[in-house]
Structures are given as C-alpha cells and as structure tokens.
Amino acid sequence: MKDYPHAVPIVVPIKENGQHKYSLDEKALRKILLQDHIRDRNVVVVSIAGPYRRGKSFLLNFFLRYMNFKVFPIFQQTSGCDTKCSWLGDENTPLTGFPWKRGTDVVTTGILMWSEVFCMTSPTGEEVAVIFLDTQGKFDDESTVRDCVTVFALSTMLSSIQMYNLVHKIQEDDLQYLHMFTEYGRLASENTGNTLFQKLQFIVRDWDWAYEKSYGPEGGKMLLEEKLMVCIEILRELQCTAEGQHPEKIKLKNHIKSYFDDIQCFLLPDPGPKARTSPEFDGKLSDIDDEFKTYLDQLVPLIMAPENLIQKEIGGTKITVEDFLLYFKRYVDVFNGIGNMLPELKSIFDANVDLTNLKAVAAAKKTYKKQMEIFCETIHLNNDQFEQAHQISLGYALEKFNVTPKMGGVECSVKYRTDLQEKINNKYRWWKLVNESNKSKIGTITSCGLM
C-alpha cells in the first residue's frame, strides 16, 4: 500500500562523542528518490530557509497545495473546481503538509523532505521532478551557530530555488548570515566560471510599508535595488561610500549578487489578526485576510508554474534525481568530516570536483560499452579488427569525458581521466573474452573491416 504523503526528516543534527554531526537517513532518501518513474528525470529542488518561528512551513504548505492541484486531478475534483479555478481551494479546509503550529516552540529541526515527488512537464516538453525541502529556523534557542549555518548552507547548495523567508524587512544581519555560507560561491565561480547557486527568492512577510513599496514583485524589486544594487561607477568614484553605506556593507552586497544566477524579492501583507494571534488557527483560508490570499495567489505560481521552474544544475550541467541523491550524501559527508569546525571552503569545492568528474567517468564508461556492443555482440572479430574496435570505442569514451562539464578544470581532471583509462583497460579484457566466445557461435567475418 502506498504511504500517505508526509514530511520525512532527512538530515537531523546530533551530538556524537562531543562533536556536532548530521545524521542522514539514507534509507528514507533512497526510498523517495530512486523510484523508477522519477530517478532519471531532471530535478527541481525548492527549499525554504530563514529565522525560526516565522511561518516557513506554513508558507511552504501552500506550495504543496498548488502542486497537488496542478498535478493530481483528484484534488481538483474534491475542491469542486476545474483547472481554471483557484488552486487555493476550499475556504474551510485546514492547511496540512509540513508540520507547523503557532507559538514559540521549535517545530522543524534539520532538513525535512516531502515524501511525494511531483512530476511535471516543462513548456519545452522536458519531464522534471519537483522536490520540496523544509529547514529549521536559524538561531533558535536549541541549535548551535554551526547547526544553523550548516542547515542553511546545505539547503542552498542543494536547491535550485532557495526561498529566504523574512519578516517585516531585509535587515543587515540577514545579509551577513547569508554571506556566511555563500562565500563558497566565490571559490566555485573562480574555478568554473559558473555561479554556484541558482535562484534566491526573498519573501518578506508582514510588509508594513505598502505606501512606499507595493506588495508583490514590483515592490520587492524596489526593495532589492535599495538593499543590493550598488552602482559600481559610484563605488569607483567615491572609493568608500555609496549613499552613506560603509565600504564593508557595499562589499557584502556585491558579493551576494555574484553568488546567484537570479535574485528576486516578493512583499507579502500580514495574513490578518486570526492568523497572527488565534491559538486555534489551523490555516483555513476563511481565517486569512483577502489581501494576503490575493498576493499568495500571485507568489506561488510565480515560482512554481511550469514555465518558471528552475532545474538544478551543478557546474552548468542539469542533474537527475539520482544524481541529486549522490550530491546530498556527499555534502552531508563533507560537513560531518571536519569535527566542530565550520566547513572549509576548499573541502566543499573538492566534493563538487569529485562528483562532477565521477559523473563524467560514468558517462564515458557507458559510451565505451555502447560502442563495443555495436562491434562485438553479434559477430566475431579477428585480432586486428578487435584492436581497431577497442581504439575507436576508447576514442569515443575519452571524447565524452572531455566534453562533459566538470568542476576544477583540466588539472583536476587528469587523475580521473587516468582512472577512466584503467577501468576501460579492464573492460577491454572482458570484451576480448566476449569476442572469443562469439567465434564458435557465429564464425569469423572475413571482409569489410569495421568501417
């Protein structure tokens, strides 16, 4: 019987022998990600992070409601709507999904993954799989600074769309915290020519100054311009200030801009007094102000509509759900391998170099196998013909390795290329045995060669 969709704790902070570690539930992760109908699809990873007890899980559940409505016809039928109706659904249905509640107690710890992976088709016809991650809030009363930085860093490294949930405004310490882990983006960018992270979506809740900057993406764009967009020419001329800002703040904001392919902001109104203060509030739309629902109805499709989905890339290459599993495991290993210290930037970069090169090796091995199957599986080759088949197949394999995007550049790839050739040499002996076994079955070709 299929499990009912639910939130699954994937990464949980633990203390082991006096050191802070991160427990990865690999069994649960594999169960979710290695399903036959999704494992080979390119992946879209949507995650939310930000201060604790600020409604991250509450907001993320509306994204789940949108996806359920769009992907599963039964949700449209039970809501009494067709696809033209609002995905927000019935006014009196409680909000379910990731655990959430009102109050000051921490609900989410570590990283949770929604057990249902949503399958969608992009406007270009690509079949993608959409994964949702929820994270614990930064700087709650129970977590160390390392726990908070690690969870936020993992969330952003893994996601293709990172939502940063804030309340009232974007403060300077919010940007400082963002800078703590995105500094790695500078290192990766120097070595690959690509930004490490993809989309950063600021969501500013309970925005109080709609008379200055309107709710929605336009007001958010104005706020971003005010906070992040510092004119380089002014910086050069003044050398120290831009609109009265300290040079270190200017440096910080320019760094954050360089870490992401895209940065956007959306301003949301207050959800209303019942949602804000009632202990019995359970997420019913009837208890939420219409103005909040209006802008919520704009925000979610702005991120989740098929034409707006952003597929996860590493080193400029789109990755599959199965690839995502490998990256998830490797990143957690990196954070666990360094004791109580925050990750060294180089160690995380090395993890990406390793994974992208291993992926290139795997693709090259498949190419060699495919070519040798063409040459050897149905005929017997004499020694010269077999050697020619091997050299042609090896050439295709090495070319595949060379053209597959990899982090770290040519110097870092040398040892992986050498390892690839050793692996192919081992397969060469196996294919020679296959070829010999064909001799008695099919006979030897006597003319034409391979070309």
Side-chain angles (χ1 to χ4, degrees):
M1 183 175 178
K2 187 176 180 181
D3 291 336
Y4 191 80
H6 60 287
V8 180
I10 297 296
V11 178
V12 180
I14 59 174
K15 200 166 185 178
E16 184 178 282
N17 299 323
Q19 293 187 338
H20 285 269
K21 299 279 187 176
Y22 303 91
S23 174
L24 175 67
D25 191 339
E26 186 176 341
K27 182 179 179 181
L29 195 60
R30 294 176 69 87
K31 181 179 179 182
I32 296 171
L33 300 182
L34 295 187
Q35 300 174 75
D36 289 339
H37 70 291
I38 63 168
R39 64 189 300 166
D40 293 326
R41 287 179 178 240
N42 289 345
V43 67
V44 176
V45 187
V46 182
S47 184
I48 192 165
Y52 84 108
R53 305 309 298 135
R54 291 296 185 269
K56 295 187 301 299
S57 303
F58 168 79
L59 183 62
L60 193 58
N61 286 334
F62 283 107
F63 285 78
L64 291 180
R65 181 175 286 188
Y66 176 87
M67 293 301 291
N68 280 320
F69 185 84
K70 291 295 182 181
V71 173
F72 301 118
I74 189 171
F75 282 89
Q76 299 169 14
Q77 295 165 7
T78 56
S79 65
C81 295
D82 57 25
T83 54
K84 296 179 180 179
C85 290
S86 173
W87 58 270
L88 286 168
D90 183 75
E91 286 281 317
N92 296 307
T93 300
L95 184 64
T96 58
F98 287 99
W100 70 279
K101 65 178 182 180
R102 290 205 49 77
T104 59
D105 294 334
V106 174
V107 177
T108 304
T109 59
I111 297 178
L112 304 182
M113 178 181 289
W114 192 245
S115 65
E116 185 79 60
V117 178
F118 298 93
C119 297
M120 296 190 78
T121 303
S122 73
T124 60
E126 291 180 281
E127 294 183 336
V128 300
V130 183
I131 294 170
F132 286 95
L133 301 178
D134 192 13
T135 69
Q136 74 180 56
K138 66 182 178 77
F139 302 135
D140 59 53
D141 295 332
E142 301 174 12
S143 303
T144 66
V145 171
R146 182 174 187 264
D147 289 338
C148 297
V149 173
T150 299
V151 168
F152 205 154
L154 274 171
S155 171
T156 305
M157 292 167 70
L158 290 165
S159 63
S160 54
I161 304 170
Q162 173 66 78
M163 296 185 288
Y164 195 6
N165 183 75
L166 302 171
V167 175
H168 296 307
K169 56 185 177 180
I170 302 174
Q171 301 188 104
E172 205 65 41
D173 62 345
D174 296 321
L175 300 181
Q176 290 284 354
Y177 185 70
L178 188 60
H179 182 260
M180 289 174 69
F181 56 87
T182 52
E183 177 62 20
Y184 170 52
R186 176 187 59 79
L187 177 63
S189 182
E190 287 177 359
N191 286 273
T192 68
N194 296 297
T195 48
L196 174 65
F197 309 123
Q198 289 175 263
K199 180 171 182 177
L200 175 63
Q201 176 70 61
F202 284 94
I203 300 175
V204 181
R205 309 275 293 279
D206 303 350
W207 176 248
D208 291 329
W209 299 279
Y211 54 88
E212 292 182 356
K213 297 175 181 66
S214 62
Y215 299 127
E218 291 304 317
K221 182 179 179 181
M222 292 174 62
L223 184 62
L224 269 185
E225 289 173 348
E226 179 181 292
K227 290 291 182 179
L228 297 176
M229 308 303 177
V230 178
C231 177
I232 298 300
E233 291 303 318
I234 294 178
L235 184 61
R236 286 174 180 167
E237 290 176 9
L238 300 182
Q239 293 297 311
C240 59
T241 60
E243 297 184 1
Q245 297 183 62
H246 190 276
E248 284 303 310
K249 293 183 179 181
I250 295 172
K251 182 180 178 182
L252 165 67
K253 293 169 183 178
N254 281 321
H255 279 181
I256 291 172
K257 285 195 297 178
S258 70
Y259 296 144
F260 294 88
D261 291 329
D262 184 29
I263 303 178
Q264 295 185 19
C265 182
F266 194 101
L267 306 182
L268 274 175
D270 187 303
K274 288 185 179 179
R276 190 175 61 252
T277 62
S278 173
E280 284 80 32
F281 178 65
D282 59 4
K284 290 189 185 74
L285 293 174
S286 56
D287 292 333
I288 298 175
D289 283 2
D290 288 341
E291 192 172 44
F292 182 88
K293 289 182 283 190
T294 296
Y295 286 99
L296 186 65
D297 195 19
Q298 292 182 25
L299 169 66
V300 179
L302 193 64
I303 298 171
M304 298 310 307
E307 64 272 18
N308 296 327
L309 292 176
I310 297 174
Q311 298 175 42
K312 180 63 182 172
E313 296 182 1
I314 300 289
T317 302
K318 294 176 181 178
I319 67 169
T320 65
V321 175
E322 189 169 6
D323 294 332
F324 178 69
L325 170 65
L326 297 177
Y327 281 102
F328 208 132
K329 290 168 56 181
R330 192 57 181 270
Y331 287 158
V332 174
D333 286 344
V334 167
F335 282 99
N336 275 336
I338 51 174
N340 279 326
M341 300 299 293
L342 288 173
E344 296 178 5
L345 300 181
K346 188 63 178 175
S347 66
I348 304 176
F349 176 70
D350 287 342
N352 272 335
V353 168
D354 188 35
L355 287 165
T356 53
N357 276 276
L358 288 176
K359 184 177 180 181
V361 167
K365 286 167 60 182
K366 286 182 180 179
T367 298
Y368 177 80
K369 179 177 181 290
K370 182 178 179 181
Q371 291 301 315
M372 290 301 287
E373 285 174 348
I374 294 172
F375 289 132
C376 299
E377 277 204 330
T378 59
I379 60 175
H380 173 263
L381 307 175
N382 64 36
N383 288 338
D384 289 341
Q385 291 166 337
F386 181 81
E387 186 61 32
Q388 186 182 4
H390 165 69
Q391 292 299 329
I392 292 172
S393 301
L394 175 61
Y396 277 119
L398 293 177
E399 179 63 19
K400 181 66 175 179
F401 177 83
N402 291 339
V403 301
T404 301
K406 301 173 287 294
M407 295 181 71
V410 175
E411 290 184 4
C412 291
S413 295
V414 171
K415 67 176 183 178
Y416 298 94
R417 183 185 170 96
T418 301
D419 181 59
L420 168 65
Q421 289 178 292
E422 290 177 0
K423 286 180 167 64
I424 287 179
N425 285 336
N426 290 333
K427 286 295 182 182
Y428 167 87
R429 291 187 284 272
W430 184 86
W431 278 106
K432 197 159 191 175
L433 292 174
V434 171
N435 184 58
E436 287 303 314
S437 70
N438 286 340
K439 187 174 183 179
S440 59
K441 299 177 184 177
I442 318 171
T444 306
I445 61 169
T446 58
S447 61
C448 298
L450 296 171
M451 304 305 292

